[in-house]
Amino acid sequence: MDTLVSSTSVTAPVALRKLYFLRFAFAAVWAALLFAAGDTLGPAAVTLLLAYPLFDVAAAVVDIRSARADGGGAPALRVNVAISSLAVVGLAVAAASGVPAVLRVWGLWAITSGIVQLVAGATRRKLGGQWAMIISGAVSTVAGASFFAQAGGGDASLRSLAGYAFLGGVFFLVSALRLNGARNGA
């Protein structure tokens, strides 16, 4: 059952809840800014495109430290750090080639990080609130494939990334709220 807290200390769920709220807020603001930037790869859009996976790296590092402090390992999170770091480099290179190239790199990142998120959520389900992370990982893999399809068609748009990021943020919000409920015995 995903709403039960294991016998591990309560520091992991508390730290995760705070991190998930922060990730929601970042995703919401980022999505609004990218949507406002439009579909051109100007300096603002490129900066935003690079900031998202950089934030993901930072959040994963915080998550790894939290897991380590609680006596747990975090192999899926370490993989996520590597994948998101590669995404930063890939997006920087792709931005010089245009929106379709950016969508392909983002799609590959969404697919691989979605699989990692699925694994991380499944292994943490005893903490509670992880079902939303599991669903989010599945949605991410499907969205990644759709970015590839969009890149090959005539409707390549950076704004679709804004919707993807916002939806991902909503999943983090739901998980944060579920972790709070699990902590309070709900």
Side-chain angles (χ1 to χ4, degrees):
M1 183 178 251
D2 74 345
T3 59
L4 296 178
V5 177
S6 72
S7 61
T8 61
S9 77
V10 295
T11 58
V14 170
L16 274 179
R17 189 174 63 253
K18 289 178 182 177
L19 181 61
Y20 288 175
F21 278 128
L22 178 63
R23 291 192 74 157
F24 164 72
F26 178 83
V29 170
W30 184 90
L33 291 172
L34 186 67
F35 193 81
D39 284 324
T40 59
L41 282 171
V46 172
T47 300
L48 286 167
L49 289 170
L50 299 179
Y52 198 90
L54 282 171
F55 183 82
D56 194 56
V57 168
V61 168
V62 168
D63 204 345
I64 289 167
R65 288 183 179 163
S66 172
R68 190 179 318 137
D70 199 44
L77 293 170
R78 293 180 197 287
V79 171
N80 188 57
V81 168
I83 290 168
S84 294
S85 297
L86 289 172
V88 173
V89 174
L91 288 167
V93 171
S97 297
V99 173
V102 167
L103 289 175
R104 285 184 189 97
V105 171
W106 196 284
L108 182 60
W109 178 44
I111 291 167
T112 54
S113 64
I115 292 168
V116 170
Q117 190 174 20
L118 263 162
V119 171
T123 58
R124 286 180 158 175
R125 68 184 182 278
K126 66 182 179 251
L127 295 176
Q130 296 302 302
W131 64 268
M133 290 294 95
I134 294 168
I135 294 169
S136 177
V139 168
S140 186
T141 58
V142 171
S146 75
F147 296 141
F148 265 95
Q150 187 184 45
D155 59 345
S157 171
L158 293 176
R159 289 185 170 148
S160 61
L161 301 179
Y164 164 79
F166 183 76
L167 180 60
V170 169
F171 281 117
F172 278 112
L173 176 62
V174 168
S175 285
L177 295 171
R178 294 293 299 158
L179 280 168
N180 189 38
R183 187 183 67 128
N184 293 331

